[in-house]
Amino acid sequence: MDGNGMDDVVSIRGDDAVQVEFQRSLRPQYDLEWRKKFGYGIGHFYNDLCASMWFTYLMIYLEKVLRFRSSQAGLLMLIGQVTDAISTPLVGIASDSNFLPKFFHRVGRRISWHMIGTVCVSLSFPFIFNRCFVCSDSGSDWYKVAWFTPFIMLFQFGWASVQISHLALLPELSSFDSTRTTMNSLRYAFTVIANLSIFTVLAWFLSQSAGHTEIGPYDFTHFRTAGFIVVGSGLVVTLLFYFTIREPMSGRRLSQANSFTSDASELVRMHWTSWFGYLQFYQVNFVF
């Protein structure tokens, strides 16, 4: 340690030989108790329930229950996926910045966006697996498409907000790789549980359609009830997540140091075109 107290400084060098100094106090070494690890693991459970119904049953519901044409059902699915693709990077940028009002700062930027996403999902998802309340049976099917479009877009924005904020919260809760791996494993374990839960609930509901061997308009109540169950159970689990997890102040300081608003990060941040020079970028795209 020299006379200037530089023993607590970490130096990071980029390819352009720019040297940036970070104090170690921004990244303290600490672990989490199992209660909080479990709490993080259930933080994406609501999203997983919705995603399971969305990807598995939406097209079936629109075509066989509401009698949409395949082209119209596919268009609604496409609108949702495009909205998700646009919302994901925008939410990521907003989550790293200070766009939210100051009263959100008490809970942290990640948790704030998680809450915003949860509200959006809860307000929109029950209307997706439901009927158009203002459409008549003799009206054009395109009126029904127009009815479902804003709810689908709001749902996909909310879903992306929860997903990105939950992932971004992980490195702020712990600085140990083993702890992060455990929390990620719990997250994916609850993803499997969510999928199995949806399959079980819908299988039981659809088996109650006496005298019918195929899905049809008479199964509308089953899908609507399943949607309400998803929202209700998802909110209960999400509230448990909020009561268990607190975004640490040290994590917020670290996040600020790594965000695009930080002067230090401007010196070491990789340009977006640099991703095309990494093999893993193409591997991940191939998997998806």
Side-chain angles (χ1 to χ4, degrees):
M1 177 175 179
D2 58 20
N4 295 326
M6 296 300 293
D7 188 47
D8 289 334
V9 172
V10 178
S11 297
I12 300 177
R13 290 185 177 273
D15 294 337
D16 55 357
V18 176
Q19 182 174 347
V20 181
E21 297 177 343
F22 289 97
Q23 292 185 355
R24 286 196 181 115
S25 60
L26 286 175
R27 196 179 185 87
Q29 296 290 320
Y30 57 90
D31 202 357
L32 293 178
E33 55 188 13
W34 263 100
R35 178 178 63 88
K36 293 187 177 181
K37 294 177 184 178
F38 178 85
Y40 176 84
I42 63 176
H44 202 258
F45 185 73
Y46 190 4
N47 255 23
D48 292 328
L49 289 174
C50 294
S52 183
M53 279 202 68
W54 170 269
F55 286 112
T56 307
Y57 294 107
L58 179 67
M59 295 292 290
I60 297 175
Y61 174 74
L62 293 176
E63 292 185 40
K64 294 184 176 295
V65 178
L66 298 186
R67 298 301 189 184
F68 276 47
R69 294 198 299 270
S70 297
S71 59
Q72 294 172 329
L75 176 62
L76 288 174
M77 172 68 79
L78 177 63
I79 290 173
Q81 296 310 110
V82 170
T83 303
D84 179 49
I86 296 174
S87 299
T88 297
L90 294 180
V91 170
I93 294 173
S95 177
D96 283 338
S97 64
N98 292 309
F99 291 159
L100 295 177
K102 289 186 177 180
F103 62 83
F104 281 106
H105 295 177
R106 296 183 60 184
V107 296
R109 291 178 292 180
R110 312 304 185 190
I111 297 294
S112 296
W113 278 101
H114 194 287
M115 290 180 174
I116 291 173
T118 299
V119 171
C120 291
V121 169
S122 301
L123 292 177
S124 58
F125 195 77
F127 291 95
I128 295 177
F129 286 90
N130 216 317
R131 284 199 177 104
C132 174
F133 298 143
V134 297
C135 303
S136 62
D137 294 336
S138 59
S140 173
D141 288 341
W142 289 106
Y143 291 138
K144 299 178 183 178
V145 172
W147 166 266
F148 283 103
T149 296
F151 294 114
I152 287 176
M153 295 179 69
L154 181 62
F155 163 69
Q156 289 293 349
F157 170 78
W159 198 95
S161 299
V162 172
Q163 180 194 42
I164 295 302
S165 58
H166 189 253
L167 286 172
L169 184 62
L170 179 61
E172 298 186 358
L173 292 176
S174 177
S175 56
F176 286 97
D177 290 339
S178 59
T179 301
R180 296 176 184 177
T181 301
T182 299
M183 290 192 291
N184 244 335
S185 299
L186 289 171
R187 168 192 167 108
Y188 286 113
F190 280 102
T191 297
V192 175
I193 294 174
N195 291 331
L196 293 176
S197 300
I198 292 299
F199 297 154
T200 302
V201 169
L202 263 300
W204 187 81
F205 279 164
L206 295 176
S207 67
Q208 304 304 307
S209 299
H212 301 287
T213 58
E214 295 184 357
I215 297 176
Y218 36 80
D219 292 308
F220 165 75
T221 303
H222 298 149
F223 282 95
R224 182 180 61 182
T225 304
F228 289 148
I229 291 176
V230 165
V231 174
S233 58
L235 283 175
V236 170
V237 175
T238 300
L239 287 175
L240 182 60
F241 164 73
Y242 292 146
F243 285 130
T244 306
I245 297 298
R246 293 290 184 272
E247 190 173 331
M249 292 299 297
S250 58
R252 296 178 206 176
R253 293 201 303 270
L254 176 61
S255 177
Q256 290 171 355
N258 290 333
S259 71
F260 78 96
T261 58
S262 171
D263 294 336
S265 66
E266 288 291 335
L267 298 176
V268 297
R269 191 174 44 154
M270 185 175 64
H271 193 268
W272 68 271
T273 57
S274 301
W275 283 107
F276 297 103
Y278 287 86
L279 177 61
Q280 287 183 331
F281 175 79
Y282 299 98
Q283 291 174 333
V284 171
N285 277 275
F286 176 77
V287 170
F288 275 93

